[in-house]
Amino acid sequence: MQADLFSAGRPPQGAPDWLVRAFALRADLNRHNHSYYVLDQPSIPDAEYDRLFQELQALETAHPELLTPDSPTQRVGAGPLPQFEPVRHEVPMLSLGNGFSDEDIEAFDKRVRDGLESLQEVRYATELKFDGLAISLRYENGVLVQAATRGDGTTGENVTANIRTVRAIPLRLHGEQVPQVIDVRGEVLMYKSDFARLNQRQRDAGQKEFANPRNAAAGSLRQLDSRITAQRTLRFFAYGIGVLEGAEMPASHSALLDWYQELGLPVCKERAVVTGAAGLLDFFRGIGAKRESLPYEIDGVVYKVDRLDQQKYLGFVSRAPRFALAHKFPAQEALTVVQDIEVQVGRTGAITPVARLNPVFVGGVTVTNATLHNEDEVRRKDIQIGDTVIVRRAGDVIPEVVAYVPEKRPADARAFVMPTACPVCGSPIVRAEDEAVARCSGGWLKCAAQRKGGLQHFASRRAMDIEGLGEQLVEQLVDRKVVNTPADLYRLGLSALSELDRMAEKSAQNVLDALQKSKTTTLARFIYALGIRHVGEATAKELARHFGGIDKLLVASEEQLLEVADIGPVVASSLRAFFSDPLNVELVEQLRAVGVHWPESAGVEAGAKHLAGKTFVLTGSLPNLSRDQASQLIEAAGGKVSGSVSKKTSYVVAGADAGSKLAKAEELGLTILDEDALKALCAGEGGAGDADSEGGDADNADNPA
């Protein structure tokens, strides 16, 4: 009831003095928060703010019915959470494509104009690319009810308790047009000055410092104890939208950000609307000139077609919008000295030369190691031990040595010599004639480094997704000879795990629970988890779709493997070599024996090929099938699912609230299916036209019309 009173914005007529005062205090504190954290214009001294805050706290203590989730006092943090709950985004949080040169930007502008079939210059909204953590804020009837990280774009983590401590984020929206439901997309970040103060506190407390503001922001937001988050000053800028209900969508991106400001949401002032590629490049250069003076870290700018109807028409390709692009700043570089060149052994046995460097601060972090990629690269760049070198780092990319400085080469500089034996297991290092990478020949059975890398890959989120089985735990399991193969993981007991460093009984039980949960998986994940060279997620998915079960894949010839979509001779040869090794076949059998399982199907090679080579686009909401279920139905019958409509599209499956994709399909004269027609077609019952006469090359399905 009190929440309804507060939503009115003023106390009811004849309200007691304490309720009137509570309204006044909430309004004052929200206004001062907005001035300080959003406008960067403090309106009162800190001591006066604290006095008002304490007065409201006292009123809420005396009158508990005043305490609502959107009160300014509810930003101090709550007790620890056991874990973050998953949150599925109704509208996916997609990533952006990148551009680095003027030519990239001109090509982007041309693609947009071609896609819009427009000879006129396009208007773009330009803004900053923040170096923080993407977040989605859900408001219902103006009140913040949920906050979630981007995660994998489809599913993120519920960090509502922590977001509530961020004073830059309003707990209640205000203005004349507050929607019933809105998902606000934006970035949580930490200002440079706040980062410096945080690290000073870490030093004073004898605790580890944060590497850069982005890591500090991400680490603060993912605290299980929101009281810790509340002690750190985080900021927020809104820049996008997901779901919107109960309000009219603005006509342009720039108008959306203006509306956000009216709602009380922080929006970065460093933005503009420009015309054409020349306008984009002018904005980029202007921001580059002031980059160092900005109070926060950025790693580029973002361009978006301003009109939202044009955005919808352009649509998406893969997991990125066609209407937007991130223009990245050049990688940051620094000089340092190569102390030594050693080699590391990867999970596939790849031997990578690594430069051990005098510590140098570059790209926001202190760098002590940098990759040299392979022996040929070391020779080409002529990097020697003792050289002064240029080290480059861009974003989260592994630092690399760009070049050495000839005039600084010392007389005692030494050339790198590739070892002939693996530094981990002593097996010979071999290099195929047609490859640039040398490899340890020991394999995972002999080489602990390959074993560790393989186990980490097996447990990774996109493979078997075994939560808690990280690098440090794998290191111990292999070094102590507790685990030799992925199958051994499923034979671990509570006592064996509890004896490891930093593994209390509860932590050990959590790992065992995660292992048990991971036994139920999909064939595509299982194939990917095996770590077969050249087999990534997409290839694993095609193999699972084609064969339907592991037994057929185990005995498939190279000729049969070449029949799988997107698989060429190199991948087919790698697969055949992997499954020709009795140890690998035995590993598959051991994993099945310990209970790892997945649903199997007949596979398209067994006769369900009637939709092979056909491309489907899903749009709108189907009455009974979710988007994932419809995709699985299509793929099980041999078809492919694309994210955009083109002349190469075979069928468009349209449900309720279908938008621009349906309109484009009708314009192109494509076959439109409803849910019943889709089910009939996938079952081979026809009813939607001749499946062998529509569409074309599925590999080109994402090309714009």
Side-chain angles (χ1 to χ4, degrees):
M1 179 179 176
Q2 295 299 330
D4 293 335
L5 289 176
F6 282 120
S7 67
R10 59 183 182 275
Q13 191 170 16
D17 291 345
W18 54 266
L19 183 55
V20 174
R21 182 56 179 163
F23 267 88
L25 287 168
R26 285 171 63 122
D28 287 347
L29 289 168
N30 283 329
R31 185 173 65 255
H32 296 317
N33 273 331
H34 185 78
S35 296
Y36 187 93
Y37 291 100
V38 178
L39 304 179
D40 286 326
Q41 297 173 353
S43 50
I44 58 173
D46 289 350
E48 177 62 13
Y49 179 92
D50 292 341
R51 187 189 67 78
L52 297 175
F53 189 92
Q54 291 166 5
E55 184 181 352
L56 180 57
Q57 276 186 318
L59 277 175
E60 290 175 345
T61 300
H63 303 279
E65 62 272 27
L66 288 176
L67 192 58
T68 61
D70 60 320
S71 170
T73 64
Q74 299 305 293
R75 295 187 182 271
V76 295
L81 298 172
Q83 61 185 20
F84 294 113
E85 298 175 348
V87 173
R88 187 171 181 84
H89 303 298
E90 288 189 47
V91 176
M93 296 181 70
L94 302 179
S95 56
L96 296 177
N98 293 325
F100 297 92
S101 64
D102 289 6
E103 292 76 15
D104 291 340
I105 306 313
E106 290 164 355
F108 164 68
D109 177 57
K110 184 178 185 303
R111 288 195 303 272
V112 168
R113 286 187 285 110
D114 289 347
L116 295 174
E117 299 177 354
S118 171
L119 297 177
Q120 297 181 341
E121 288 189 309
V122 176
R123 283 167 57 88
Y124 296 96
T126 58
E127 52 200 46
L128 304 186
K129 186 177 184 302
F130 304 107
D131 200 10
L133 189 72
I135 207 79
S136 179
L137 307 176
R138 184 177 180 87
Y139 289 87
E140 295 181 1
N141 297 316
V143 177
L144 177 66
V145 296
Q146 182 177 271
T149 61
R150 178 182 180 276
D152 63 4
T154 301
T155 304
E157 294 176 315
N158 189 331
V159 291
T160 309
N162 290 343
I163 281 294
R164 294 175 63 81
T165 72
V166 180
R167 296 180 184 272
I169 295 175
L171 298 178
R172 180 188 288 273
L173 303 178
H174 59 74
E176 297 181 358
Q177 192 187 10
V178 175
Q180 294 173 358
V181 177
I182 184 171
D183 286 341
V184 178
R185 304 287 167 76
E187 196 95 355
V188 171
L189 63 155
M190 184 174 286
Y191 278 20
K192 296 174 185 176
S193 57
D194 296 322
F195 173 70
R197 283 191 288 270
L198 173 60
N199 266 351
Q200 183 60 55
R201 292 201 302 271
Q202 295 292 105
R203 286 192 294 273
D204 293 344
Q207 297 177 345
K208 183 179 178 180
E209 296 181 42
F210 290 94
N212 53 52
R214 184 192 186 283
N215 286 357
S220 299
L221 202 57
R222 298 194 75 257
Q223 291 288 331
L224 291 176
D225 189 341
S226 62
R227 292 171 296 190
I228 297 176
T229 311
Q231 297 169 7
R232 300 173 183 175
T233 306
L234 298 176
R235 313 283 180 139
F236 173 78
F237 286 124
Y239 55 60
I241 191 168
V243 174
L244 177 64
E245 298 175 9
E248 184 178 351
M249 181 73 78
S252 66
H253 181 75
S254 53
L256 171 67
L257 298 188
D258 291 340
W259 181 39
Y260 277 171
Q261 286 186 301
E262 295 173 8
L263 294 174
L265 291 159
V267 175
C268 182
K269 64 181 180 181
E270 302 290 348
R271 57 189 176 98
V273 176
V274 303
T275 304
L280 297 176
L281 293 171
D282 285 345
F283 179 80
F284 178 77
R285 292 173 185 132
I287 293 298
K290 63 168 69 173
R291 180 184 181 187
E292 294 303 319
S293 64
L294 294 173
Y296 36 73
E297 297 281 2
I298 61 173
D299 54 7
V301 301
V302 174
Y303 308 136
K304 299 174 183 174
V305 172
D306 192 35
R307 281 175 46 182
L308 298 189
D309 61 335
Q310 291 181 338
Q311 288 188 9
K312 289 181 179 179
Y313 186 81
L314 288 167
F316 300 84
V317 54
S318 186
R319 295 177 62 82
R322 286 195 178 96
F323 56 80
L325 187 77
H327 191 174
K328 305 291 285 292
F329 288 123
Q332 295 183 346
E333 299 177 343
L335 290 179
T336 188
V337 175
V338 178
Q339 297 175 334
D340 199 359
I341 299 177
E342 301 174 355
V343 296
Q344 288 183 342
V345 186
R347 70 175 178 86
T348 62
I351 303 294
T352 304
V354 176
R356 305 302 183 192
L357 309 169
N358 285 342
V360 60
F361 193 75
V362 56
V365 301
T366 300
V367 173
T368 56
N369 304 311
T371 181
L372 292 165
H373 299 293
N374 56 60
E375 185 179 13
D376 289 350
E377 189 76 354
V378 179
R379 301 283 176 259
R380 185 182 69 81
K381 293 180 177 178
D382 190 22
I383 306 298
Q384 297 190 14
I385 300 165
D387 276 342
T388 296
V389 294
I390 301 169
V391 178
R392 174 184 295 164
R393 182 181 182 274
D396 293 329
V397 177
I398 298 170
E400 66 170 339
V401 175
V402 179
Y404 81 100
V405 182
E407 60 270 23
K408 290 182 176 289
R409 171 167 285 177
D412 60 349
R414 293 179 290 119
F416 166 72
V417 178
M418 174 66 80
T420 58
C422 173
V424 176
C425 69
S427 298
I429 290 176
V430 297
R431 177 178 169 182
E433 290 184 5
D434 58 344
E435 292 190 2
V437 177
R439 298 181 187 276
C440 165
S441 60
W444 59 266
L445 194 61
K446 293 182 181 178
C447 184
Q450 294 185 58
R451 202 175 310 137
K452 291 173 183 177
L455 288 168
Q456 289 169 26
H457 172 79
F458 183 85
S460 62
R461 186 173 65 179
R462 297 191 182 278
M464 298 300 288
D465 192 19
I466 306 172
E467 189 174 348
L469 196 66
E471 181 179 350
Q472 292 182 344
L473 182 54
V474 168
E475 289 267 352
Q476 292 188 70
L477 291 170
V478 173
D479 289 343
R480 299 190 185 192
K481 296 182 172 53
V482 177
V483 168
N484 289 313
T485 75
D488 292 337
L489 293 170
Y490 294 97
R491 302 187 183 103
L492 289 171
L494 186 61
S495 59
L497 276 174
S498 301
E499 292 173 359
L500 300 177
D501 297 341
R502 299 182 180 180
M503 284 296 291
E505 187 170 316
K506 183 177 180 181
S507 301
Q509 186 59 55
N510 288 340
V511 172
L512 292 177
D513 291 343
L515 282 163
Q516 185 64 30
K517 180 181 177 182
S518 74
K519 287 182 179 180
T520 302
T521 185
T522 65
L523 179 56
R525 278 180 173 268
F526 181 77
I527 295 170
Y528 177 62
L530 292 175
I532 305 168
R533 197 171 163 213
H534 301 306
V535 176
E537 289 179 79
T539 301
K541 190 173 183 179
E542 287 295 340
L543 288 166
R545 184 183 67 84
H546 185 88
F547 289 105
I550 195 69
D551 292 319
K552 298 170 187 175
L553 178 58
L554 288 174
V555 297
S557 65
E558 284 194 38
E559 291 73 19
Q560 290 172 316
L561 290 166
L562 287 170
E563 294 176 3
V564 181
D566 301 329
I567 288 185
V570 173
V571 180
S573 176
S574 178
L575 282 160
R576 190 62 255 141
F578 184 88
F579 290 119
S580 295
D581 187 333
L583 291 175
N584 292 330
V585 176
E586 182 184 349
L587 172 61
V588 171
E589 296 306 325
Q590 287 181 357
L591 286 166
R592 290 205 284 188
V594 295
V596 177
H597 62 281
W598 52 84
E600 298 203 1
S601 64
V604 298
E605 47 74 8
K609 289 184 177 180
H610 61 286
L611 295 184
K614 304 305 173 187
T615 302
F616 292 70
V617 173
L618 303 171
T619 180
S621 302
L622 298 177
N624 300 303
L625 294 176
S626 68
R627 186 69 59 93
D628 287 344
Q629 289 171 330
S631 298
Q632 290 171 8
L633 199 64
I634 292 165
E635 290 169 353
K640 280 190 173 183
V641 178
S642 172
S644 58
V645 177
S646 78
K647 294 175 182 177
K648 300 295 184 180
T649 302
S650 307
Y651 301 99
V652 172
V653 183
D657 301 321
S660 59
K661 292 179 183 178
L662 176 59
K664 188 169 184 180
E666 293 171 338
E667 179 185 331
L668 293 173
L670 301 178
T671 302
I672 313 297
L673 307 178
D674 60 14
E675 182 179 298
D676 290 339
L678 172 65
K679 289 178 177 178
L681 185 62
C682 290
E685 299 172 5
D690 182 2
D692 293 324
S693 64
E694 299 281 350
D697 181 4
D699 290 339
N700 294 323
D702 286 334
N703 291 340

